Amino acid sequence: MTAPAVPLNPNLAALPPYNAGMTLSKARSLSGLDDIARLASNENPEGCYPAVLAALASPDFQPWRYADPGCTALRAALAEKLGCTADCIVAGNGSEEMIAAICRTVLEPQAVVLTVVPSFGLHEIEPLALGARVIKVPMTADAGFDLPKLEAALAKGPRLFFLSSPWNPVGPALDKASLDRLIAAIRPGTLFVLDEAYFEYADPDAPDGLKVLQASGIDHVVLRTFSKAYGLAGLRVGYAVCSHPEIARVLASAKTPFNVNGAAQVAALAALGDEAWMQASVARLRQERARVARALRAMGLAPAPSQTNFLFLDCGRDSAAVAADLIRAGVIVKPWREAGYEHHLRVTIGSRSENDHLIAALGQVLA
Ligand SMILES: *Cc1c(COP(=O)(O)O)cnc(C)c1O
């Protein structure tokens, strides 16, 4: 086929693809196996909240209606839970949509964005889509945030600073002293976006990034999501908590009007009303995380310390080849593709049987 005559946006045309986990049906056809452990996308393996299923079957869910474009009930419930006003909260079609909307809110071509490497792909892809420049500070040799390098980069006043903590794909979280150091290094004119997609999995003594930032007085947005601990990845709902209502107002203009569908709004409200299910699920997955980490260490591997629902490890050779071998054994994991980290795999903590499947398959593949 000849190239299309219409000029395509060069920033978009040059983007690296988002490295999404393989679907179950593709893994089944590649492996010829029915029993697949899907451990590539950090989903909650425990299935759906009973309260969510009940809400979706109730008259509160009206698929023939346009849902509330302002997510009023959900934002009110979040404001109460988080101790802020609803006019600082914007709900998104997943927190991913908010990453794109934040970029549209503050970036222009050539603006500088600071983040880390390895990192969550969209923290780089969305700025690049707008023609911004992305600076990435590598992790330290012991799988930590490189605070001196981040402080030096922050001193130059990037427009945006994206950081996930707990850190996808590595696993650790900033402690209070480290978060305070980063906050102190931020100059007026920089927006700090702290992505807390794994907040619920963090250790009990980890700082609540939202509370710390609310007390700091700096311009910030904190991202959280219902996709991970709350187990609603397929419904797409997350949110941004902004330091200032004016940031939230402009951020809301950068989304589509009916971005959070009716099922997602009803489900997220029901989930917030029953946090005990989520907390019990998180407790079980933390135990499984410790068990899988021990099994990997017994194989001679060294997963990074994790405060998330996944483990990140150097498998000592090209991880794409290891991931392909694992697919043939019925296990989907995520081979990391960023330069310098091509020997790393990220594996989600699944159900007990999925984790046993992973441990056995990885033992065979690496033997
Ligand atoms: C999973 C993830 C998200 C995206 O979550 P959605 O709410 O499903 O869009 C955002 N940030 C990080 C760091 C994640 O790992």
Side-chain angles (χ1 to χ4, degrees), residues 89-118:
I89 300 175
V90 184
N93 188 276
S95 51
E96 292 179 353
E97 186 199 21
M98 291 294 104
I99 294 171
I102 290 164
C103 290
R104 292 179 62 195
T105 300
V106 296
L107 294 181
E108 62 227 29
Q110 301 306 321
V112 173
V113 176
L114 175 66
T115 189
V116 289
V117 61

Short mmCIF file of all heavy atoms in Angstrom, two decimals, residues 89-118:
data_model
loop_
_atom_site.label_atom_id
_atom_site.label_comp_id
_atom_site.label_asym_id
_atom_site.label_seq_id
_atom_site.Cartn_x
_atom_site.Cartn_y
_atom_site.Cartn_z
N ILE A 89 -10.89 17.66 42.68
CA ILE A 89 -10.80 16.28 42.18
C ILE A 89 -11.37 16.21 40.76
O ILE A 89 -12.44 16.76 40.50
CB ILE A 89 -11.57 15.31 43.10
CG1 ILE A 89 -11.00 15.37 44.52
CG2 ILE A 89 -11.52 13.89 42.54
CD1 ILE A 89 -11.78 14.52 45.52
N VAL A 90 -10.66 15.54 39.86
CA VAL A 90 -11.17 15.26 38.52
C VAL A 90 -11.13 13.75 38.34
O VAL A 90 -10.07 13.12 38.55
CB VAL A 90 -10.32 15.94 37.42
CG1 VAL A 90 -10.95 15.70 36.04
CG2 VAL A 90 -10.17 17.43 37.68
N ALA A 91 -12.26 13.14 37.95
CA ALA A 91 -12.29 11.69 37.72
C ALA A 91 -11.97 11.42 36.26
O ALA A 91 -12.33 12.20 35.37
CB ALA A 91 -13.65 11.12 38.10
N GLY A 92 -11.30 10.32 36.02
CA GLY A 92 -10.85 10.00 34.66
C GLY A 92 -11.23 8.60 34.23
O GLY A 92 -11.55 7.74 35.05
N ASN A 93 -11.16 8.39 32.92
CA ASN A 93 -11.34 7.08 32.32
C ASN A 93 -10.05 6.30 32.57
O ASN A 93 -9.19 6.15 31.71
CB ASN A 93 -11.62 7.26 30.82
CG ASN A 93 -12.01 5.97 30.15
OD1 ASN A 93 -11.15 5.18 29.76
ND2 ASN A 93 -13.27 5.73 30.02
N GLY A 94 -9.90 5.88 33.82
CA GLY A 94 -8.61 5.40 34.30
C GLY A 94 -7.74 6.59 34.61
O GLY A 94 -7.97 7.71 34.10
N SER A 95 -6.73 6.39 35.50
CA SER A 95 -5.83 7.52 35.76
C SER A 95 -4.97 7.80 34.52
O SER A 95 -4.43 8.89 34.37
CB SER A 95 -4.97 7.27 37.00
OG SER A 95 -4.33 6.04 36.94
N GLU A 96 -4.88 6.83 33.61
CA GLU A 96 -4.17 7.07 32.34
C GLU A 96 -4.72 8.28 31.61
O GLU A 96 -3.96 9.07 31.05
CB GLU A 96 -4.32 5.86 31.42
CG GLU A 96 -3.61 4.64 31.90
CD GLU A 96 -3.80 3.45 30.98
OE1 GLU A 96 -4.60 3.53 30.03
OE2 GLU A 96 -3.16 2.44 31.21
N GLU A 97 -6.05 8.41 31.59
CA GLU A 97 -6.63 9.56 30.89
C GLU A 97 -6.17 10.85 31.56
O GLU A 97 -5.94 11.87 30.90
CB GLU A 97 -8.16 9.49 30.89
CG GLU A 97 -8.76 10.62 30.04
CD GLU A 97 -10.22 10.91 30.33
OE1 GLU A 97 -10.72 10.55 31.41
OE2 GLU A 97 -10.85 11.51 29.45
N MET A 98 -6.02 10.80 32.89
CA MET A 98 -5.59 12.01 33.60
C MET A 98 -4.13 12.34 33.29
O MET A 98 -3.74 13.51 33.29
CB MET A 98 -5.79 11.82 35.11
CG MET A 98 -7.25 11.78 35.52
SD MET A 98 -8.08 13.39 35.25
CE MET A 98 -9.03 13.09 33.78
N ILE A 99 -3.31 11.32 33.03
CA ILE A 99 -1.91 11.59 32.64
C ILE A 99 -1.90 12.39 31.33
O ILE A 99 -1.21 13.41 31.20
CB ILE A 99 -1.12 10.27 32.50
CG1 ILE A 99 -1.00 9.61 33.88
CG2 ILE A 99 0.26 10.52 31.89
CD1 ILE A 99 -0.43 8.19 33.84
N ALA A 100 -2.71 11.94 30.37
CA ALA A 100 -2.79 12.67 29.09
C ALA A 100 -3.36 14.07 29.31
O ALA A 100 -2.86 15.06 28.75
CB ALA A 100 -3.66 11.89 28.11
N ALA A 101 -4.40 14.17 30.15
CA ALA A 101 -5.05 15.47 30.36
C ALA A 101 -4.11 16.45 31.07
O ALA A 101 -4.09 17.64 30.77
CB ALA A 101 -6.35 15.28 31.14
N ILE A 102 -3.32 15.95 32.02
CA ILE A 102 -2.35 16.81 32.72
C ILE A 102 -1.35 17.37 31.71
O ILE A 102 -1.01 18.56 31.74
CB ILE A 102 -1.62 16.03 33.83
CG1 ILE A 102 -2.57 15.72 34.98
CG2 ILE A 102 -0.39 16.80 34.33
CD1 ILE A 102 -2.06 14.64 35.94
N CYS A 103 -0.89 16.51 30.80
CA CYS A 103 0.06 16.98 29.79
C CYS A 103 -0.58 18.08 28.94
O CYS A 103 0.04 19.12 28.68
CB CYS A 103 0.52 15.82 28.91
SG CYS A 103 1.60 14.67 29.80
N ARG A 104 -1.81 17.87 28.53
CA ARG A 104 -2.49 18.89 27.72
C ARG A 104 -2.69 20.16 28.52
O ARG A 104 -2.77 21.26 27.96
CB ARG A 104 -3.83 18.37 27.21
CG ARG A 104 -3.67 17.26 26.19
CD ARG A 104 -5.03 16.75 25.72
NE ARG A 104 -5.79 17.80 25.06
CZ ARG A 104 -7.10 17.73 24.81
NH1 ARG A 104 -7.78 16.68 25.17
NH2 ARG A 104 -7.71 18.72 24.20
N THR A 105 -2.80 20.04 29.82
CA THR A 105 -3.06 21.20 30.68
C THR A 105 -1.83 22.10 30.84
O THR A 105 -1.97 23.32 30.92
CB THR A 105 -3.56 20.72 32.06
OG1 THR A 105 -4.75 19.97 31.86
CG2 THR A 105 -3.86 21.86 33.00
N VAL A 106 -0.64 21.50 30.89
CA VAL A 106 0.53 22.35 31.20
C VAL A 106 1.65 22.32 30.16
O VAL A 106 2.59 23.11 30.28
CB VAL A 106 1.14 22.00 32.59
CG1 VAL A 106 0.17 22.28 33.71
CG2 VAL A 106 1.64 20.59 32.64
N LEU A 107 1.59 21.43 29.17
CA LEU A 107 2.74 21.32 28.27
C LEU A 107 2.51 22.03 26.95
O LEU A 107 1.39 22.12 26.46
CB LEU A 107 3.05 19.85 27.98
CG LEU A 107 3.54 19.03 29.16
CD1 LEU A 107 3.85 17.61 28.71
CD2 LEU A 107 4.77 19.68 29.80
N GLU A 108 3.61 22.51 26.39
CA GLU A 108 3.61 23.00 25.03
C GLU A 108 4.82 22.35 24.36
O GLU A 108 5.67 21.79 25.06
CB GLU A 108 3.71 24.51 24.98
CG GLU A 108 4.98 25.00 25.60
CD GLU A 108 4.76 26.17 26.56
OE1 GLU A 108 3.69 26.27 27.18
OE2 GLU A 108 5.70 26.96 26.70
N PRO A 109 4.92 22.39 23.01
CA PRO A 109 6.08 21.78 22.37
C PRO A 109 7.39 22.31 22.97
O PRO A 109 7.49 23.51 23.27
CB PRO A 109 5.94 22.19 20.90
CG PRO A 109 4.45 22.37 20.72
CD PRO A 109 3.96 22.92 22.03
N GLN A 110 8.35 21.42 23.17
CA GLN A 110 9.68 21.72 23.72
C GLN A 110 9.70 21.93 25.23
O GLN A 110 10.76 22.12 25.81
CB GLN A 110 10.35 22.93 23.02
CG GLN A 110 10.54 22.76 21.52
CD GLN A 110 11.30 21.49 21.18
OE1 GLN A 110 12.24 21.10 21.86
NE2 GLN A 110 10.87 20.80 20.12
N ALA A 111 8.55 21.93 25.88
CA ALA A 111 8.57 22.01 27.35
C ALA A 111 9.30 20.79 27.89
O ALA A 111 9.33 19.74 27.25
CB ALA A 111 7.15 22.08 27.90
N VAL A 112 9.91 20.93 29.07
CA VAL A 112 10.71 19.84 29.62
C VAL A 112 9.93 19.08 30.69
O VAL A 112 9.33 19.69 31.59
CB VAL A 112 12.04 20.37 30.21
CG1 VAL A 112 12.80 19.27 30.93
CG2 VAL A 112 12.89 20.97 29.09
N VAL A 113 9.96 17.76 30.58
CA VAL A 113 9.31 16.88 31.54
C VAL A 113 10.39 16.02 32.17
O VAL A 113 11.22 15.44 31.47
CB VAL A 113 8.26 15.99 30.86
CG1 VAL A 113 7.65 15.00 31.85
CG2 VAL A 113 7.17 16.85 30.21
N LEU A 114 10.38 15.93 33.49
CA LEU A 114 11.34 15.09 34.20
C LEU A 114 10.63 13.84 34.71
O LEU A 114 9.54 13.93 35.28
CB LEU A 114 11.93 15.88 35.38
CG LEU A 114 12.88 15.09 36.30
CD1 LEU A 114 14.16 14.69 35.57
CD2 LEU A 114 13.21 15.92 37.55
N THR A 115 11.26 12.70 34.51
CA THR A 115 10.78 11.48 35.13
C THR A 115 11.97 10.56 35.37
O THR A 115 13.12 11.00 35.35
CB THR A 115 9.63 10.83 34.31
OG1 THR A 115 9.07 9.76 35.09
CG2 THR A 115 10.11 10.27 32.98
N VAL A 116 11.70 9.30 35.65
CA VAL A 116 12.76 8.35 35.96
C VAL A 116 12.76 7.24 34.91
O VAL A 116 11.83 7.13 34.12
CB VAL A 116 12.57 7.75 37.37
CG1 VAL A 116 12.85 8.77 38.45
CG2 VAL A 116 11.17 7.16 37.54
N VAL A 117 13.79 6.42 34.91
CA VAL A 117 13.82 5.23 34.07
C VAL A 117 14.40 4.09 34.91
O VAL A 117 15.37 4.31 35.62
CB VAL A 117 14.65 5.47 32.77
CG1 VAL A 117 16.10 5.84 33.05
CG2 VAL A 117 14.57 4.25 31.85
N PRO A 118 13.79 2.89 34.93
CA PRO A 118 12.58 2.55 34.16
C PRO A 118 11.36 3.25 34.72
O PRO A 118 11.34 3.67 35.87
CB PRO A 118 12.49 1.04 34.34
CG PRO A 118 13.16 0.75 35.64
CD PRO A 118 14.28 1.75 35.74
#
